[in-house]
Amino acid sequence: AQKVTQAQTEISVVEKEDVTLDCVYETRDTTYYLFWYKQPPSGELVFLIRRNSFDEQNEISGRYSWNFQKSTSSFNFTITASQVVDSAVYFCALSEAYNNNDMRFGAGTRLTVKP
Amino acid sequence: DAGITQSPRHKVTETGTPVTLRCHQTENHRYMYWYRQDPGHGLRLIHYSYGVKDTDKGEVSDGYSVSRSKTEDFLLTLESATSSQTSVYFCAISGSGGVGTDTQYFGPGTRLTVL
């Protein structure tokens, strides 16, 4: 089965620092989908991005950017000029095309941004 | 925001008692999912539904059953709750094609404590 590893359990930065959250995945499928979700202290899960395995273009959305590299099976997430409101748990997730209802999540990275 | 509600939002129960959690959506989405969130594990899929009366097991289905008699409602039942089922339960929905072709949107979660 597919697997997602988020090796960083917790990260703490000072406001305005850049921070990168790592995500490494394992899959035997050639077609798959990668996701990032944000879980702020209030507890809800907020969708951030979806990427399919055929699209290796990096994505930028405001202060957020994502670096997808199939060669290293990584889908890293960078926040530029972090803000206190970015404090949350961030989850990376993966689903394979042959069973695309089975989405596997990483354990999550807790990001704390201090003022 | 996707129209997803979960009830109850919090529940404390005793070992051995049956528990039913409800997920209600107003989006008329075909796919519905139940996950549990535990520290160190991220979110794990329990069961999902791909239509009325159509359900399938996820990664951690033991001890859980589900039912979907209407498009808008997806019920998760713990037949005989155990302390290991203490967790936060999330419902999610997606539209036309499951995870790969559509984004999953999550409900607010239900915190269940089994004493």
Side-chain angles (χ1 to χ4, degrees):
Chain A
Q2 68 270 43
K3 182 180 177 182
V4 176
T5 301
Q6 295 180 257
Q8 304 151 308
T9 305
E10 296 190 25
I11 300 175
S12 181
V13 299
V14 176
E15 207 169 20
K16 298 184 183 176
E17 285 185 16
D18 298 346
V19 57
T20 295
L21 310 182
D22 296 333
C23 173
V24 174
Y25 61 91
E26 296 175 27
T27 177
R28 288 182 287 184
D29 208 339
T30 56
T31 302
Y32 52 90
Y33 308 90
L34 295 161
F35 304 80
W36 277 95
Y37 284 86
K38 174 183 180 180
Q39 186 175 43
S42 51
E44 74 272 23
L45 282 151
V46 179
F47 166 77
L48 296 178
I49 190 171
R50 180 182 73 229
R51 251 311 180 243
N52 72 57
S53 53
F54 297 110
D55 184 2
E56 284 195 76
Q57 274 196 324
N58 290 333
E59 176 98 4
I60 298 175
S61 177
R63 297 183 297 107
Y64 294 174
S65 62
W66 290 268
N67 182 7
F68 177 25
Q69 291 198 330
K70 290 176 75 170
S71 61
T72 56
S73 297
S74 64
F75 186 43
N76 296 338
F77 173 33
T78 297
I79 301 175
T80 302
S82 61
Q83 300 176 1
V84 172
V85 293
D86 295 326
S87 296
V89 180
Y90 291 87
F91 293 98
C92 181
L94 164 72
S95 73
E96 297 171 329
Y98 93 96
N99 183 13
N100 61 11
N101 286 295
D102 184 8
M103 187 159 72
R104 299 294 174 101
F105 283 77
T109 297
R110 180 178 299 278
L111 173 66
T112 302
V113 182
K114 299 178 180 177
Chain B
D1 289 342
I4 313 170
T5 57
Q6 293 184 229
S7 58
R9 295 292 314 280
H10 302 271
K11 186 171 182 67
V12 179
T13 191
E14 293 188 351
T15 298
T17 59
V19 175
T20 295
L21 308 183
R22 179 183 183 234
C23 177
H24 179 77
Q25 60 143 330
T26 59
E27 306 295 321
N28 200 35
H29 279 6
R30 178 182 175 189
Y31 292 80
M32 298 185 75
Y33 309 81
W34 277 108
Y35 290 87
R36 59 178 291 173
Q37 182 181 10
D38 304 291
H41 291 279
L43 280 81
R44 291 179 292 175
L45 182 66
I46 304 171
H47 283 278
Y48 68 94
S49 169
Y50 48 97
V52 173
K53 299 192 188 305
D54 293 323
T55 65
D56 205 350
K57 297 179 180 180
E59 183 186 3
V60 291
S61 60
D62 287 349
Y64 302 94
S65 63
V66 291
S67 65
R68 191 166 177 204
S69 58
K70 301 185 288 186
T71 298
E72 57 266 35
D73 289 327
F74 191 33
L75 304 180
L76 176 70
T77 297
L78 291 65
E79 303 288 349
S80 177
T82 67
S83 58
S84 64
Q85 294 175 312
T86 292
S87 187
V88 180
Y89 291 85
F90 284 95
C91 173
I93 65 174
S94 68
S96 59
V99 171
T101 58
D102 201 0
T103 298
Q104 273 193 6
Y105 295 98
F106 284 82
T110 293
R111 184 173 296 275
L112 176 67
T113 302
V114 184
L115 301 176

